[in-house]
Amino acid sequence: MSEAERIKSVRIALKLTQEEFSKILGVTKQYVSLVENSKCDLSKDKLIKLFLDYKINLHWLLTGEGSMFLSDSPEGNIMRVKVPKGTKLLVEYEE
């Protein structure tokens, strides 16, 4: 399964239309269609949004390895994420 197919799988698993998904990500419906059809890539900040808002496993999203959703960590509020070398991550902490 390609990254585009995995992104579409996320949208379907969340029971969202392309229009609803586009509003969540702050992009157009046409952009979501392009992403799902491998015409362009979803930006890294949008991938991070899926991780933060929906606990989507970024390692699975980028590589296809593991499961779509992160399970609750036995360590509490710790999330482990593997991303390709060179990927920049922005982490925001809620108070």
Side-chain angles (χ1 to χ4, degrees), residues 69-85:
F69 294 96
L70 291 171
S71 58
D72 290 332
S73 170
E75 294 93 358
N77 292 327
I78 297 173
M79 289 188 189
R80 299 184 194 285
V81 180
K82 291 183 180 180
V83 295
K85 187 175 182 178

Side-chain angles (χ1 to χ4, degrees), residues 2 4 9 43 55 57-58 72 78 82 91 95:
S2 70
S9 294
S43 65
K55 292 190 176 183
N57 182 344
L58 286 179
D72 290 332
I78 297 173
K82 291 183 180 180
V91 178
E95 293 187 31

Side-chain angles (χ1 to χ4, degrees), residues 4-47:
E5 292 169 321
R6 288 189 294 277
I7 290 169
K8 183 174 182 177
S9 294
V10 167
R11 179 180 62 78
I12 291 169
L14 295 174
K15 299 180 177 157
L16 298 170
T17 64
Q18 284 185 340
E19 187 169 341
E20 292 166 331
F21 198 54
S22 70
K23 288 179 182 176
I24 288 167
L25 295 175
V27 297
T28 65
K29 178 183 170 188
Q30 292 77 12
Y31 186 77
V32 170
S33 179
L34 289 171
V35 169
E36 290 183 356
N37 288 291
S38 300
K39 304 290 184 198
C40 63
D41 293 326
L42 199 57
S43 65
K44 299 300 181 216
D45 65 314
K46 304 304 182 195
L47 296 176

